[in-house]
Amino acid sequence: MDFPTLLQVLDSTVRLATPLLLACLAGLFSERSGIYDIGLEGKMLAAAFCSAATAAVTGSVWLGLLAGIGGSMALAGLHGLSAITFRGNQLISGVAINFLAAGLTVVLAQDWFHQGGRTPSLLGGARFEAIALPFAETLRPVPVLGPVYAELISGHTLLVYVAALLVPASWWVLYRTRFGLRLRAVGENPEAVDTAGVSVQATRYAAVAICGLLCGLAGAYLATALQAGFSRDMTAGRGYIALAALIFAKWRPWQALGATLLFGLLQAIALRYQNIELGGVGLPVQVMDALPYILTVVILAGFVGRAIPPRAGGEPYVKER
């Protein structure tokens, strides 16, 4: 693989890892507070539809972004109501959200746009455009560092840079703020937090809201930046891959960045190299496409070391009288 090809693969890696990273950070906040969220996939899909539909109608990508966040946070609120207020089974609630989003988005898209469950293609101001960083073209002739800056670092959409900044921001919030301390404590020992006078329900609702916000960004990125509109099941299992990356990262922000970049790299390789020969045997294109999902199964099967989730994860909290 020559250097220009390597840069192209790494550039695709960054683009493909962005929705995974946003969804992974979303799950991180939710599960650190003790609320398991299998519904990342559904919230991303709802956000993708809402953002694409709104952008197609209004011609504004910013209104589309707000609509995507709103749709995702509505489902997050539904999950919070089920899991926190009514103390329902968190896994079942998440799966229900996935089914609801998968069916409702297609029905609404067909009813509103009559294009087989798709939205119209987004053009112009209805999509996020690539941002050229300062001096990108000036530094391009510089050996090695110039192409890396001009092609790998520069030229991404706004949400890619937002996702990158959210990694240190999430670390700071979780480990350097009072809110982060309370959130982590609620996921480990909610009784102690309640005894200290901190509302367990309010903290968990805040974490679920952050999860909805980040899933909204992920879904909006899929529909208005990575692609140019909504199509049926366009998340393609990214929510589940993000959950696997979260387990791989052991619920830590910086490790989540590395895990999602690994999944993004596998997706980029699968797109770039459709037919590879190993030992004279050609691998079918389906094998390459399945690489990220194979890694997901390997991680969830526990072959990468034991990952210990928050101790109060998945357990509804009942306040003692």
Side-chain angles (χ1 to χ4, degrees), residues 20 31 81 98 104 129 189 217 234 237 256 320:
L20 298 178
E31 297 199 6
L81 189 67
N98 290 339
L104 190 60
E129 301 292 339
N189 193 340
L217 293 177
M234 68 181 301
E320 296 183 0

Side-chain angles (χ1 to χ4, degrees), residues 49-58 105-122 230:
F49 169 73
C50 291
S51 61
T54 303
V57 172
T58 64
T105 52
V106 176
V107 171
L108 291 178
Q110 175 61 23
D111 184 61
W112 292 353
F113 301 107
H114 307 288
Q115 296 187 13
R118 302 172 62 92
T119 61
S121 296
L122 304 180
F230 173 83

Side-chain angles (χ1 to χ4, degrees), residues 58-313:
T58 64
S60 170
V61 69
W62 298 106
L63 291 178
L65 177 61
L66 290 177
I69 293 174
S72 175
M73 291 192 72
L75 291 182
L78 185 63
H79 181 57
L81 189 67
S82 170
I84 301 172
T85 301
F86 295 116
R87 307 187 187 99
N89 187 293
Q90 298 172 11
L91 300 183
I92 293 177
S93 174
V95 172
I97 286 175
N98 290 339
F99 282 129
L100 175 65
L104 190 60
T105 52
V106 176
V107 171
L108 291 178
Q110 175 61 23
D111 184 61
W112 292 353
F113 301 107
H114 307 288
Q115 296 187 13
R118 302 172 62 92
T119 61
S121 296
L122 304 180
L123 303 171
R127 288 193 68 197
F128 282 104
E129 301 292 339
I131 299 174
L133 297 180
F135 309 111
E137 293 304 319
T138 304
L139 296 175
R140 186 183 293 272
V142 177
V144 182
L145 294 180
V148 168
Y149 179 72
E151 298 183 22
L152 183 57
I153 299 176
S154 178
H156 296 288
T157 57
L158 176 65
L159 292 181
V160 174
Y161 300 111
V162 169
L165 292 175
L166 282 173
V167 176
S170 298
W171 176 86
W172 183 79
V173 168
L174 284 172
Y175 295 101
R176 291 294 183 270
T177 67
R178 181 178 299 177
F179 170 75
L181 175 62
R182 290 175 176 176
L183 187 144
R184 288 184 289 120
V186 163
E188 295 292 339
N189 193 340
E191 292 83 4
V193 176
D194 192 15
T195 302
V198 177
S199 173
V200 174
Q201 282 199 349
T203 304
R204 286 184 167 179
Y205 264 113
V208 169
I210 294 173
C211 176
L213 171 65
L214 295 177
C215 282
L217 293 177
Y221 173 81
L222 283 174
T224 61
L226 188 63
Q227 300 183 31
F230 173 83
S231 60
R232 178 173 183 161
D233 294 330
M234 68 181 301
T235 48
R238 286 182 173 89
Y240 300 109
I241 293 176
L243 284 174
L246 180 61
I247 295 171
F248 191 18
K250 294 180 172 59
W251 294 270
R252 292 181 174 88
W254 287 108
Q255 287 86 336
L257 173 61
T260 52
L261 285 174
L262 173 60
F263 280 103
L265 176 62
L266 290 178
Q267 290 182 338
I269 292 174
L271 290 174
R272 180 76 185 184
Y273 300 100
Q274 294 291 318
N275 294 290
I276 293 182
E277 289 191 2
L278 292 178
V281 178
L283 296 180
V285 62
Q286 290 83 1
V287 173
M288 301 303 299
D289 291 337
L291 278 178
Y293 306 99
I294 293 172
L295 181 59
T296 301
V297 173
V298 170
I299 289 174
L300 294 179
F303 293 117
V304 294
R306 187 182 179 194
I308 303 176
R311 283 186 296 176

